[in-house]
Amino acid sequence: MSLVVKLLCDGEPVDTFEVAAFVDDECRAAAKADNGIYYLMVQGEGSGQPIQLRTYYEGEEVVIDEALVFQKDTNIGLPWDPYIIEIGNNATDGIMSIDSQQLAGDAKYFLLNGVEIDKSQIKNLKSQFYIRYDRSGKVSKLKK
């Protein structure tokens, strides 16, 4: 099964991560971006096994998609029409691109996909960066 995937964060392409396809806890394919597109050849036998796509962010696995099912000899996505994954809308935690202007102002909190983030967790960063957070609003990782 082949997958052609494009990651978006706030509508902008993300090509700095590694994406891997898992069936249960077995890695079946992994790829880094090539011109903003991730090409994965998922190995397996039979059909019907759920696939979990994960990315590695700061050494931790983050699930970014659970909607696919392994189908032998199937192609999902094409280079000119890739399978799009918006990584900022994950149901359990998220990775979002933040611009320092979003932190401007006197408010103690800002909203990110409906999650209230305390600004005091984010200090001394300028311009654009990525933030990883959970649904409680706790920031666990920052990366420029």
Side-chain angles (χ1 to χ4, degrees):
M1 174 179 187
S2 71
L3 296 173
V4 179
V5 176
K6 185 172 192 175
L7 299 182
L8 297 177
C9 187
D10 290 335
E12 295 296 319
V14 176
D15 61 2
T16 56
F17 296 144
E18 182 175 6
V19 173
F22 285 81
V23 172
D24 296 320
D25 281 329
E26 181 182 2
C27 182
R28 300 279 182 96
K32 292 187 177 186
D34 181 7
N35 290 321
I37 304 289
Y38 298 84
Y39 297 92
L40 295 102
M41 290 298 296
V42 182
Q43 303 298 313
E45 295 179 15
S47 295
Q49 301 161 315
I51 296 174
Q52 201 178 59
L53 294 181
R54 304 175 191 175
T55 189
Y56 295 91
Y57 180 73
E58 302 254 326
E60 294 181 43
E61 289 181 9
V62 178
V63 175
I64 57 173
D65 189 276
E66 295 180 292
L68 300 173
V69 175
F70 182 80
Q71 297 292 325
K72 188 177 178 184
D73 300 326
T74 300
N75 302 313
I76 296 179
L78 300 165
W80 55 89
D81 187 21
Y83 179 72
I84 302 291
I85 299 173
E86 177 66 54
I87 61 172
N89 293 324
N90 194 295
T92 55
D93 44 21
I95 300 171
M96 290 297 296
S97 171
I98 303 291
D99 189 291
S100 60
Q101 292 177 346
Q102 289 177 267
L103 303 177
D106 295 330
K108 185 177 177 181
Y109 297 93
F110 68 100
L111 282 179
L112 194 58
N113 280 346
V115 177
E116 200 172 72
I117 306 288
D118 184 340
K119 287 184 187 178
S120 68
Q121 298 180 87
I122 303 169
K123 298 177 183 173
N124 304 323
L125 289 172
K126 297 179 180 174
S127 79
Q128 190 167 6
F129 55 94
Y130 291 103
I131 178 175
R132 178 166 178 209
Y133 61 95
D134 64 24
R135 287 290 158 198
S136 70
K138 181 181 178 215
V139 173
S140 59
K141 296 286 182 182
L142 298 173
K143 183 177 182 180
K144 273 199 146 193

